[in-house]
Amino acid sequence: MRPLAGEDIEGYAERHSSPPIPALRALAEETHRTLASPQMLTGPIEGRLLELLVFASGARRVLEIGTFSGYSALAMAAGLPTGGQIITCEISPEHAAVARRHFQTSPHAGRIDLREGPALETIAALDGLFDLVFIDADKPAYGDYYEAVLPRLSPRGLIVVDNTLWSGRVLDPDPQDTSSVAMAAFNDRVVSDPRVTCVMLTVRDGVTLIRRAPS
């Protein structure tokens, strides 16, 4: 993944956004030092965006599909109201172990519930509705995640989908690149779905916001 804006613009935007809390800085440092594919890290700009979306929407119950090392879950936890909760799904035991350790030592330990295993199985076992869902996992399964969570949105619920521009490769997907093909197909599917209203933002690698269409 590479941000669509140039490094100078990314740097300027980061310098003019509130800096991450120490817990997030420590998590990011360990991710870059010890895990493969550290570019998957949400990062400070999108992390703040997620926090502010949670805060502005008043979301009390958040579902995250794809924890990785836990940056986005920790960022969103800072935007929760008193009593709010994030349930985050991760299939990799290695990633889950890193995330869990950082959650436990953060100011938001009691707000995050990490569920290890296939996300679709986790979602099927959960009760109730969600006020915000963040999808950032395996790209070919995005359509399945979307269909699983759309009926589970609260009346003012929001789905936030990461990597929807896929470093620009959605413009002309290589048929041999399954993730590029999947992301382009997902984007076409969402924008033509009469059940929802959406907007695609050119933040970092593309972030799409989705809500149910007005009845």
Side-chain angles (χ1 to χ4, degrees), residues 72-91:
S72 48
L74 266 182
M76 290 188 288
L80 287 170
T82 302
Q85 182 191 45
I86 294 172
I87 298 172
T88 183
C89 308
E90 178 55 49
I91 197 168

Side-chain angles (χ1 to χ4, degrees), residues 132-157:
L132 188 143
V133 179
F134 180 46
I135 301 175
D136 185 16
D138 54 314
K139 310 314 170 192
Y142 266 30
D144 293 332
Y145 300 142
Y146 173 70
E147 293 297 338
V149 301
L150 186 58
R152 305 288 297 276
L153 282 183
S154 62
R156 294 186 60 84

Side-chain angles (χ1 to χ4, degrees), residues 69 78 102 104 130 160 171:
S69 58
H102 282 275
Q104 290 169 349
F130 296 97
V160 184
L171 294 174

Side-chain angles (χ1 to χ4, degrees), residues 1 16 20-21 26 57 63-64 92 132 145 158-159 178 180 212:
M1 191 284 300
H16 288 81
I21 62 172
S57 67
L63 174 66
E64 177 179 55
S92 164
L132 188 143
Y145 300 142
L158 186 68
I159 300 173
T178 56
S180 296
R212 284 203 187 95

Side-chain angles (χ1 to χ4, degrees), residues 27 67-71 74 94-104 114:
L27 189 158
T67 311
F68 189 41
S69 58
Y71 194 104
L74 266 182
E94 179 187 15
H95 296 166
V98 173
R100 191 174 282 113
R101 179 159 40 80
H102 282 275
F103 294 161
Q104 290 169 349
L114 195 158

Side-chain angles (χ1 to χ4, degrees), residues 40-204:
M40 291 166 49
L41 198 71
T42 300
I45 297 174
E46 190 176 349
R48 281 296 182 191
L49 173 63
L50 290 170
E51 175 195 338
L52 291 173
L53 287 172
V54 171
F55 177 82
S57 67
R60 298 185 60 83
R61 195 164 189 244
V62 175
L63 174 66
E64 177 179 55
I65 302 173
T67 311
F68 189 41
S69 58
Y71 194 104
S72 48
L74 266 182
M76 290 188 288
L80 287 170
T82 302
Q85 182 191 45
I86 294 172
I87 298 172
T88 183
C89 308
E90 178 55 49
I91 197 168
S92 164
E94 179 187 15
H95 296 166
V98 173
R100 191 174 282 113
R101 179 159 40 80
H102 282 275
F103 294 161
Q104 290 169 349
T105 59
S106 79
H108 308 300
R111 296 179 164 197
I112 306 174
D113 178 5
L114 195 158
R115 305 289 181 95
E116 195 172 328
L120 290 173
E121 294 180 12
T122 298
I123 295 166
L126 294 172
D127 296 324
L129 303 177
F130 296 97
D131 303 311
L132 188 143
V133 179
F134 180 46
I135 301 175
D136 185 16
D138 54 314
K139 310 314 170 192
Y142 266 30
D144 293 332
Y145 300 142
Y146 173 70
E147 293 297 338
V149 301
L150 186 58
R152 305 288 297 276
L153 282 183
S154 62
R156 294 186 60 84
L158 186 68
I159 300 173
V160 184
V161 187
D162 200 15
N163 303 119
T164 49
L165 289 173
W166 203 236
S167 298
R169 293 193 291 271
V170 291
L171 294 174
D172 186 20
D174 180 349
Q176 304 303 314
D177 180 355
T178 56
S179 292
S180 296
V181 171
M183 288 311 307
F186 175 79
N187 293 336
D188 290 344
R189 175 180 188 166
V190 170
V191 77
S192 61
D193 188 344
R195 299 173 296 174
V196 302
T197 298
C198 66
V199 60
M200 182 180 288
L201 308 177
T202 54
V203 173
R204 204 161 179 256

